[in-house]
Amino acid sequence: MKTVYDVQQFLKRYGTIIYTGDRLADLELMEMEFIDLFQAKVIDPKDFQSAILVIKQHIQKEKQNLKNRGE
């Protein structure tokens, strides 16, 4: 997985669609969902690691964008 879209498509295979209208909240919910799937041993470690890496990178970018906008 290389993009947030890839992450979303992966989650869709497990019946999970996340969209709240708040990008940061969506990313945080995706992260929690991946943690739950991994702990339940539903997904393999490689998929978990690549998804979490993408999600965390985008969370950092989103937080920086919010900080820059003064929100």
Side-chain angles (χ1 to χ4, degrees):
M1 282 173 262
K2 296 179 182 176
T3 66
V4 172
Y5 179 77
D6 295 338
V7 171
Q8 290 170 320
Q9 294 307 305
F10 188 91
L11 286 174
K12 222 186 255 190
R13 286 189 256 162
Y14 294 92
T16 302
I17 296 172
I18 297 173
Y19 181 76
T20 64
D22 178 341
R23 177 97 166 141
L24 183 57
D26 289 348
L27 291 165
E28 290 171 343
L29 287 170
M30 284 184 234
E31 181 179 23
M32 289 189 296
E33 187 65 26
F34 266 94
I35 290 168
D36 289 345
L37 288 169
F38 180 69
Q39 289 176 341
K41 299 191 186 321
V42 175
I43 61 174
D44 80 32
K46 184 180 174 186
D47 290 329
F48 174 73
Q49 289 175 337
S50 62
I52 291 296
L53 180 63
V54 169
I55 292 167
K56 287 194 178 290
Q57 287 173 342
H58 283 274
I59 286 174
Q60 284 305 106
K61 285 180 189 175
E62 196 61 32
K63 285 182 177 179
Q64 188 62 41
N65 288 341
L66 291 173
K67 184 179 174 185
N68 289 343
R69 283 189 253 149
E71 294 181 15

